[in-house]
Amino acid sequence: MKWPVLFAGVGLGVLLVACAPARQYAGPPRPQSQVARLVVFEDGSQHFGRSGDVRYDGRIISVDGCAARTMTGIVEVLPGRHEVTVRWQRFEVPCWGSFSHGEDTNNFLVAEAGDTSFLVDAEAGKRYRLRWPRPDQVGPPLGFFEHR
């Protein structure tokens, strides 16, 4: 009787840890007023922009040369200047049948991909979101900008 409860508790704990922002600093967790958040996508997902036939995918892969430990696309850093590297792809829907019976089958072609590094002057208590070009423009992400 106790085993199912134990497994459910462990599963919930793993889920909560996986959904938390990754700390890219040593020591115990700090309050949000003492850290800056770097966000790839507002909802924590790895995908953006189903505008027309273009989709962007990206994730933070390193901060100051250290591998990012994020599963959500949200990273917390201490105030100061940081070099953030984002691995990204720009997908396009092929013209040959990516829609079947009105439903998207996720058949995207990689139109462009790469790693891009940005310098971010992070201030405590602020949020910085990665900005992407409009879907009608081709190119990598534009950089991290303060987002309220």
Side-chain angles (χ1 to χ4, degrees), residues 45-109:
S45 71
Q46 301 298 323
H47 305 289
F48 167 76
R50 274 297 183 68
S51 177
D53 60 352
V54 176
R55 182 181 83 182
Y56 292 94
D57 176 65
R59 73 184 59 230
I60 297 171
I61 60 170
S62 71
V63 177
D64 298 327
C66 297
R69 303 176 301 268
T70 180
M71 296 179 74
T72 63
I74 302 173
V75 173
E76 289 183 346
V77 296
L78 294 177
R81 179 168 274 206
H82 298 281
E83 182 178 9
V84 181
T85 302
V86 175
R87 178 160 294 151
W88 59 275
Q89 294 179 313
R90 179 179 184 268
F91 295 90
E92 293 182 358
V93 176
C95 351
W96 39 268
S98 59
F99 291 91
S100 172
H101 305 291
E103 293 184 16
D104 186 356
T105 60
N106 288 325
N107 293 325
F108 287 91
L109 297 175

Side-chain angles (χ1 to χ4, degrees), residues 119-142:
L119 288 177
V120 180
D121 289 318
E123 293 183 35
K126 293 194 176 177
R127 216 177 146 87
Y128 300 86
R129 186 170 144 216
L130 186 65
R131 188 173 296 164
W132 299 82
R134 293 189 321 265
D136 60 334
Q137 298 172 324
V138 176
L142 303 174

